[in-house]
Every structure is written in C-alpha cells, then in structure tokens.
Amino acid sequence: MQITEIYKSLQGESTYAGLPCVFVRLTGCNLRCAWCDSEYTFTGGSRMSPEDVRMEVSRLSPGGGLVEITGGEPMLQERELVPLMQDLMSDGHKLLLETSGERPLRRVPADVVKIVDVKCPDSGEGGTFHVENLQALTPQDEIKFVLSSRADYDFAVEFTRKHDLAARVNAVLFSPAFRKEAAGARAASHCLLDPQQLAEWMLADNIPARLGLQLHKFIWDPAIKGV
Ligand code: SF4
C-alpha cells in the first residue's frame, strides 16, 4: 500500500470529534478540491504492507481504540484496504473511513463507519458523488458537506432533503471550508464561510444537520500537518 503518514491525534471532525484516534493516511487522490488541505498526499508516501500498517497502528494504540482511514482517497487502494480494515477490527479497533464518495463503497465492511463527503459546487468537484453509494449507507454512517459559499449551502440543503439523509445516517455534517493557506492564529476567520453565518442559515431553515468545525485547526496551528 502507498501510505503518506500514520499518526495519533485527536479526531477533529464528525460526531467522533475530540476522541483520541490513530490516522492512517493513504497516498493518492483522483479529485482536486479547490480548498484541499491534503495536497501533500497526492504523490510520494512510502510503500508499506498491510501487515506493517497493522503493526504500526497497534504500536500507537495497543489493544484497540479508534482508527481513521483517510487520504487522499483511500478507496483508490480498495483491494488492500478492505482486508486491512477487517484485520484492524479483529484487533479490537473501531474503524472510521473518510471518503469522497466518488468511489463505490459497497465492499466496505459493514462495521466500518463511513464518513462520506458529498462535494459541493464551489469545491470544483461537484457532481462527483457516486449516487449508488446512498444504498451502501447504514444508520451508523455520516454524510459531510464542506461549504465555502451560499451556493454550496443551498446545494447541501437540497441534497439533504431530496435524499432524506437525516433518516438514513447517524449525522449530516455541514462544515465550513478552511483556507488552505491558513497559518498561525487558530481562528474562525480562516473559514471560507463564516461559521456564524452558517449557523444563522441552519437555524432559519431548521435543517436536520450538525454544524461541524475542524477541531484540530483550533487546537494546533492550522498549517501543521500530522495532528
Ligand atoms: S477528495 Fe479530499 S484529498 Fe482529494 S482533493 Fe478533495 S479534499 Fe483533497
């Protein structure tokens, strides 16, 4: 497998935010979102066997705990990833899979919590969501919209209502995009969409979604990777 990094930090997003978590970040992505903060994953990384990944996860979090598989787009390495996720669960880990939803998700093991990003228009990758993936969602999964404008918000509201997402998954997450060049101050002013504005829209529309902030970018310098 091609791996960019494996590290332990606090989970920054989703309903698992705040929990200690081992992150396994896979190299490579087939999308190019305008605000992507993970461009360093597009190339490079190290070749590791699934067994090596498993051993490193055990070293960082012996005996179990939360593990997030992320990228890049992890499902580009589906052939090795699916058995690895099964092995990590056998080792006692709870697995989260962060994915763009552009790749088919039907082979993801049932106990893995899928956190599926539906790309909005201003990401530059709108329309890439694989609609059949709605059938692969389970009540433990989460759907995330990263928003940088009112147009993105309107898209997310319409998609949420049209597909009755709140009834399908554990959480629908509306998260302001972060400026990818943000550094230094840990401040909401780095968000491309003001969280206060987003909160006001969500309250006005009574939308069944949860406003999510990237917690790690308010704990550490937003320019730091591997946290
Ligand atoms: S899918 Fe994720 S890793 Fe790929 S370009 Fe978009 S934000 Fe970056």
Side-chain angles (χ1 to χ4, degrees):
M1 304 179 75
Q2 201 67 23
I3 305 290
T4 294
E5 55 189 357
I6 303 177
Y7 61 96
K8 189 172 181 181
S9 185
L10 294 184
Q11 174 58 248
E13 302 181 62
S14 80
T15 64
Y16 293 82
L19 292 172
C21 182
V22 173
F23 293 81
V24 179
R25 191 178 296 284
L26 278 65
T27 306
C29 189
N30 53 339
L31 303 187
R32 291 293 180 269
C33 302
W35 33 254
C36 178
D37 61 357
S38 306
E39 291 172 327
Y40 65 104
T41 68
F42 292 169
T43 57
S46 311
R47 206 72 205 147
M48 291 178 78
S49 69
E51 197 50 37
D52 288 343
V53 174
R54 192 176 175 185
M55 281 169 48
E56 180 61 4
V57 170
S58 289
R59 188 186 70 77
L60 290 168
S61 185
L66 195 61
V67 175
E68 176 171 298
I69 307 290
T70 186
E73 174 45 61
M75 288 305 284
L76 294 175
Q77 300 185 58
E78 176 181 348
R79 191 167 53 87
E80 298 99 337
L81 181 59
V82 167
L84 172 63
M85 290 193 290
Q86 277 160 337
D87 287 342
L88 289 170
M89 287 191 292
S90 313
D91 293 341
H93 295 286
K94 173 88 176 171
L95 263 284
L96 310 179
L97 171 68
E98 176 97 21
T99 173
S100 74
E102 188 274 340
R103 301 275 92 197
L105 299 174
R106 61 183 176 276
R107 290 191 57 228
V108 176
D111 288 339
V112 173
V113 175
K114 300 185 285 298
I115 301 169
V116 184
D117 201 347
V118 178
K119 299 301 180 189
C120 297
D122 286 354
S123 71
E125 294 289 3
T128 54
F129 180 73
H130 189 71
V131 177
E132 287 75 22
N133 279 336
L134 289 172
Q135 308 311 319
L137 294 173
T138 72
Q140 67 182 352
D141 292 336
E142 306 190 6
I143 292 266
K144 182 174 67 168
F145 298 89
V146 178
L147 310 173
S148 53
S149 64
R150 176 73 201 200
D152 283 354
Y153 172 79
D154 289 340
F155 166 82
V157 168
E158 198 208 328
F159 194 98
T160 297
R161 289 190 170 139
K162 178 177 173 191
H163 298 291
D164 199 12
L165 293 184
R168 286 176 187 263
V169 292
N170 177 38
V172 180
L173 308 162
F174 282 15
S175 184
F178 222 76
R179 287 178 209 285
K180 61 182 175 185
E181 68 278 9
R186 296 159 290 166
S189 57
H190 291 310
C191 294
L192 291 171
L193 175 60
D194 181 355
Q196 183 178 334
Q197 175 68 84
L198 175 57
E200 287 167 8
W201 290 341
M202 291 173 71
L203 289 168
D205 290 336
N206 209 26
I207 186 78
R210 179 188 297 241
L211 194 158
L213 295 174
Q214 293 176 293
L215 188 61
H216 49 295
K217 294 188 175 171
F218 292 88
I219 299 175
W220 291 282
D221 181 330
I224 295 178
K225 307 301 178 199
V227 293

